């Protein structure tokens, strides 16, 4: 009988100690979370400069004798993890209509009065086939917008650059490039 009491006491003791052991186990866990960043610069979808057109129409004498400006909202939307520049250039030296040519320097591109959310130093650029800085040292940000004015001044439209050219549509591409600093 003493053996049975001893076995019962040991069994109860093991059970009590085992219960305490379960309660003493860890109740917290830790996990490492990594955030991996990569440098990004992008002219985002929603930029009206992507696949859009700017159309100047010279139909009257008044059109040839006055400045014409076309404003394009959200011309560029840029996301960049670093400060950046925006450059602009024409795809060639001339607007073309078959063999008929108008020099690209008739067009000036600049930030609109309501320029958008993109900071930096904004420059008016007389278009050429060489890269020129339109925005310098723009601060980093997400979906920063730039509204642009495209202007052909009366001094150009009433000069031999445009006057005397055959009627028709003259075309050239304009390329914008955002570059991280």
């Amino acid at each position: 009988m003493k053996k049975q009491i001893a076995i019962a006491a040991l069994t109860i003791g093991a059970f009590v100690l085992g219960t305490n052991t379960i309660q003493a186990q860890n109740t917290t866990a830790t996990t490492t979370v990594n955030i991996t960043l990569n440098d990004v610069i992008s002219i985002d979808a929603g930029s009206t400069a992507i696949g859009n057109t700017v159309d100047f129409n010279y139909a009257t004498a008044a059109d040839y004798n006055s400045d014409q400006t076309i404003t394009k909202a959200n011309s560029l939307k840029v996301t960049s993890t670093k400060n950046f520049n925006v450059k602009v250039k024409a795809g060639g030296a001339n607007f073309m209509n078959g063999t008929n040519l108008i020099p690209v320097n008739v067009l000036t591109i600049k930030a609109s009065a309501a320029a958008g959310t993109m900071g930096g130093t904004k420059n008016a650029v007389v278009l050429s086939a060489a890269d020129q800085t339109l925005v310098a040292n723009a601060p980093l940000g997400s979906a920063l917008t730039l509204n642009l004015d495209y202007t052909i001044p009366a001094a150009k439209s009433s000069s031999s650059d445009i006057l005397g050219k055959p009627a028709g549509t003259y075309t050239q591409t304009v390329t914008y490039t955002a570059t991280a600093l």
Side-chain angles (χ1 to χ4, degrees), residues 75-152:
S75 292
L76 297 174
K77 279 178 129 178
V78 176
T79 297
S80 182
T81 56
K82 298 199 179 293
N83 289 7
F84 61 95
N85 289 338
V86 175
K87 294 189 176 187
V88 61
K89 70 177 181 177
N94 298 291
F95 291 96
M96 297 183 293
N97 177 358
T99 59
N100 303 305
L101 308 173
I102 295 174
V104 294
N105 69 0
V106 300
L107 180 64
T108 299
I109 301 172
K110 67 176 185 167
S112 300
T117 60
M118 187 181 297
T121 303
K122 295 168 183 80
N123 304 299
V125 171
V126 175
L127 191 60
S128 76
D131 268 330
Q132 297 179 73
T133 302
L134 183 63
V135 180
N137 198 27
L140 59 90
S142 179
L144 302 171
T145 59
L146 181 64
N147 304 323
L148 292 175
D149 285 343
Y150 296 80
T151 301
I152 297 177

Side-chain angles (χ1 to χ4, degrees), residues 15-120:
F15 179 73
V16 170
L17 289 175
T19 302
N20 285 342
T21 303
I22 290 174
Q23 291 176 351
Q25 289 181 355
N26 289 337
T27 57
T28 61
T30 58
T31 298
T32 300
V33 175
N34 297 317
I35 299 174
T36 304
L37 301 177
N38 291 295
D39 289 334
V40 169
I41 188 159
S42 170
I43 296 177
D44 300 337
S47 297
T48 58
I50 298 174
N52 205 339
T53 61
V54 177
D55 295 315
F56 288 92
N57 187 18
Y58 288 89
T60 68
D63 294 336
Y64 285 93
N65 293 309
S66 61
D67 293 351
Q68 282 203 31
T69 298
I70 297 174
T71 300
K72 290 288 188 173
N74 298 321
S75 292
L76 297 174
K77 279 178 129 178
V78 176
T79 297
S80 182
T81 56
K82 298 199 179 293
N83 289 7
F84 61 95
N85 289 338
V86 175
K87 294 189 176 187
V88 61
K89 70 177 181 177
N94 298 291
F95 291 96
M96 297 183 293
N97 177 358
T99 59
N100 303 305
L101 308 173
I102 295 174
V104 294
N105 69 0
V106 300
L107 180 64
T108 299
I109 301 172
K110 67 176 185 167
S112 300
T117 60
M118 187 181 297

